[in-house]
Structures are given as C-alpha cells and as structure tokens.
Amino acid sequence: MDLSYTDEEKAFREDVRAFLDEKLPDDLRDKVKNGQELGKDGHERWHAILNEQGWLAPNWPKKFGGAEWNAVQRHIFEEEAAAASAPRIVPFGLAMLAPVLQKFGSKEQQDHWLPRILSGEDWWCQGYSEPGAGSDLASLKTTAVKDGDNYIVNGQKTWTTLGQHANMIFCLVRTDKDVKQQEGISFLLIDMDTPGIEVRPIVLLDGGAEVNEVWFTDVKVPAENLVGEENKGWTYAKYLLTHERTNIAGVGFSRAGLQAVKRIAKSEMAGGRPLIENPHFAARVAQVEIDLMAMSTTNLRIISKAAAGTAPGVESSMLKIKGTIIRQEINDLARRAAGVYAIPFASEAVEGSNAVLPDPLAAGPVAAQYFNNRKLSIFGGSNEIQRQIIAKTTLGGGQ
Ligand SMILES: Cc1cc2nc3c(=O)[nH]c(=O)nc-3n(C[C@H](O)[C@H](O)[C@H](O)COP(=O)(O)OP(=O)(O)OC[C@H]3O[C@@H](n4cnc5c(N)ncnc54)[C@H](O)[C@@H]3O)c2cc1C
C-alpha cells in the first residue's frame, strides 16, 4: 500500500487547480462559500462548464462520453473542487442512474438517455423512499400495473431531493404483491410532465425546500421505460446505492468547513480573548481535526485498495459514519463560534438576496447549514443502518 501521490497524479492535481482557477465563475464560488443556494441556473451552468471540459462524468467509461478517471483521480478532483468552493454536481442522473443504465439498460435506453444526462437536457430525481419505506426500502408500496404497452402507476414518493427542478424521475415500483418483497419490485423511468403527477414541497428545518413529496395518480408510463427485467428492480436498486455512497467521506468539505471555523473563532472574542484560544473550544477543534486527519488517511487507504482493484466493502460504511459525524461536529463548532450572529439564519442569507449579513464573516448561513446537514446521517443509508452493516459483516451477527 502506497499512500503518496505519483508525479503523474501531482500533475493531474495541478491541471485540476488551473481549471478551477480559470473556469469556476466567481458568483458560484461565492455562493458555495457562503452556504447559499445555487438555484437551477447555477447548477446548470456548472454542469455545462464541466461537460465542455469532458470532466462531467468522471466515473463513466469513455465509450459513453465519460472521463473514466480512476479512484485516485476522482479523489484529487473532489478534494480540489471542495477547496475551491466549486458546486457539488447533482448526482441523480450522472452518478446514480447512469451506472444502472450502463450495466442493465437496453442499447436504446443507453443511446437515448445517457447523452441527455451529459447535455443537461434531463434533470433526474430519485424516487426510492416512501412514507413507510426508508431504511426498510423493500416494503415500498407504489404500484405499477401493466396495461397493454403501458404501466399505470399509483402511490407516493417522498424526500425527493430537488424534484422541483426535475423533468424525469427514476422510481422503484411494486409490480408483484404476491412474492417476497424484494422479488416484486421494478425500476421505472417516468416523465414528470405526465398527467397525474403532483410535486409538493416539504419545508425543512433550515427554512429551505430542497425536498418534495411526489404523488402519482393513474400515471401512464410507456412499458419501454422499464429498465432491465420486470421484478428484478431490487438488484438494480442496490447497484445504484453502491454508487450513491461514493465520495461519502466528504474530506474536502470538512477541510473547507474547518478553515471557516478557525477563521470565525480567530475573530470572535470570548472572555477577552479570541475564541480559538479558549481551552474548551480549542480542544474540540483539535479533536475534530485529528479525527479528520485519521479519516483522510483511511480514505486514502481505501482508495489505494480500490486502485489496486479491490472493491470497497464495509469500509464505505465506516467512512459514511465518521465522515458525517465530523461534518456535523464542524457545523456545530461553526454555529457556536458565530454565536449570536448565527441566530438570524435568515432565508435571505441562504437564498443569496442582497440582504446585509449580520457580520463580515458571513455567519448568516451557519445555522442554516447546521440544520440542513442533520440530513447527512440520515440519507444514503442512515448511520444506524451503516452500523448494522458493519456489525453484520465483521461480527457475523447483526439484526
Ligand atoms: C434531506 C434528505 C434528502 C433525501 N433525498 C432523497 C431522495 O432524493 N430520494 C429518495 O428516494 N430518498 C431520499 N431521502 C430519504 C432517505 O433515504 C431516508 O430518509 C432514509 O433512508 C431513512 O428512512 P426514513 O426517513 O424512512 O427513516 P426510518 O427508516 O423510518 O428510520 C427512522 C430511524 O430509525 C433508525 N432505524 C431504522 N431501521 C433501523 C434498524 N434496522 N436498525 C437500527 N436503526 C434503525 C434509522 O436510522 C432512523 O434513525 C432523503 C432524506 C433526507 C433527510
């Protein structure tokens, strides 16, 4: 195992830095730095810039128009992008659906949908969870009943991230009720403009509405939009989830967040001294910094194994848990450092209006980020579920 970078990898890092320096628009960089929403237009602009560079789809094979980067290159890009405050790429089409289509989709589906994901023509959202089916996803109840050349879909999805921007949704639907739960699920691609679909926003703790409910009433979906075989959707769904859990450690985000905490804590005073010198606060900062360094090394160790051809297994659950605990601790420290400035977490600050922020360090969105990132330990498989996976795999027991 070699954790140092080769000359080639160092040169690649320089290329990425130069690209970000030149091509990342200042307004998008500022919004990411200040924790403000990018809006549909912001996401689409960054998507188009990466596409033009040929870097939009790092994990796709070249034959589908991807960059086909290895794990180390992807890690370097993610680190540099986070350090430069580049927007996160919306993953639903590019990083989740596309690998499923590439492995299980028909040639027609690949030829039709993949180029549209790259061009940005389609904005996809993920229709997995339902009110009664989250961790226990296989108990989902939305039905799809075959009717000639169509499926008729009825039911409800929930927590659909950025569904308000999407024109397409990939859904898990029940096509057989009389078999074991996992054996009666299919994977369906649905046009959001079809009559019978209603999107209702869910307003979250941070005041934003990035998630939605999606309701289906007698929605007619062409049978050709079924991916793979009927009732084999669970296999495809699980394959997709392995891709949902990439870059799960979020090392770059945590590094950037820690810098911000230190910046705020150096300027804020507590007991007549800069907060950063307060022993209790400094100890928490030191602890999270040590945890981050340790996790970053674990991350590199796993990447190094992946580069040598070993698929990450239970390690990705470890990274999910540690990565999200660290990010939430950093959010908490930022909120504490900002003190009263964090209280008016005005939605104007997050939405990027011209409202004057309460202090020069842009502490306005700190509380909103703290609230928003409660989600990190819930989605992509909650931390409790990851612990179950670790227990089951390493102790041979579990639930
Ligand atoms: C901000 C946000 C965005 C999301 N975006 C999407 C999206 O775009 N598309 C989509 O399909 N879904 C999305 N989700 C849904 C997400 O995948 C689910 O919230 C998640 O799987 C947990 O399911 P649940 O909310 O139903 O909680 P539940 O499964 O009801 O869990 C409730 C609590 O019980 C714990 N628990 C459950 N089972 C066990 C067990 N066996 N052992 C120990 N503890 C257990 C959980 O960890 C949790 O703490 C999103 C969620 C959030 C919060």
Side-chain angles (χ1 to χ4, degrees), residues 92 126-129 133-136 158-161 210-211 375 378-380 382 384-385 388 399:
F92 304 110
Q126 180 185 24
Y128 271 30
S129 305
S135 304
D136 183 18
T158 193
W159 304 121
T160 317
T161 300
E210 68 181 34
V211 289
K375 70 188 176 188
I378 301 172
F379 65 27
S382 75
E384 289 78 14
I385 294 296
Q388 296 277 22
Q399 46 188 350

Side-chain angles (χ1 to χ4, degrees), residues 92 96 125-137 157-163 169-170 172 204 210-212 241 244-245 372 374-388 399:
F92 304 110
M96 295 189 195
C125 61
Q126 180 185 24
Y128 271 30
S129 305
E130 297 181 6
S135 304
D136 183 18
L137 186 59
K157 296 291 172 184
T158 193
W159 304 121
T160 317
T161 300
L162 300 181
I169 181 168
F170 53 86
L172 293 181
L204 296 179
E210 68 181 34
V211 289
N212 304 269
L241 286 177
E244 184 170 355
R245 293 181 191 141
N372 188 275
R374 299 294 93 201
K375 70 188 176 188
L376 298 177
S377 43
I378 301 172
F379 65 27
S382 75
N383 283 13
E384 289 78 14
I385 294 296
Q386 303 307 320
R387 289 191 178 93
Q388 296 277 22
Q399 46 188 350

Side-chain angles (χ1 to χ4, degrees), residues 131 142 153-160 169 171 190-192 194-202 212-219:
T142 296
V153 177
N154 279 287
Q156 185 204 341
K157 296 291 172 184
T158 193
W159 304 121
T160 317
I169 181 168
C171 279
I190 305 179
D191 186 330
M192 298 280 278
T194 321
I197 297 186
E198 194 192 339
V199 179
R200 299 182 193 163
I202 303 174
N212 304 269
E213 296 175 344
V214 183
W215 294 76
F216 300 84
T217 311
D218 292 332
V219 175

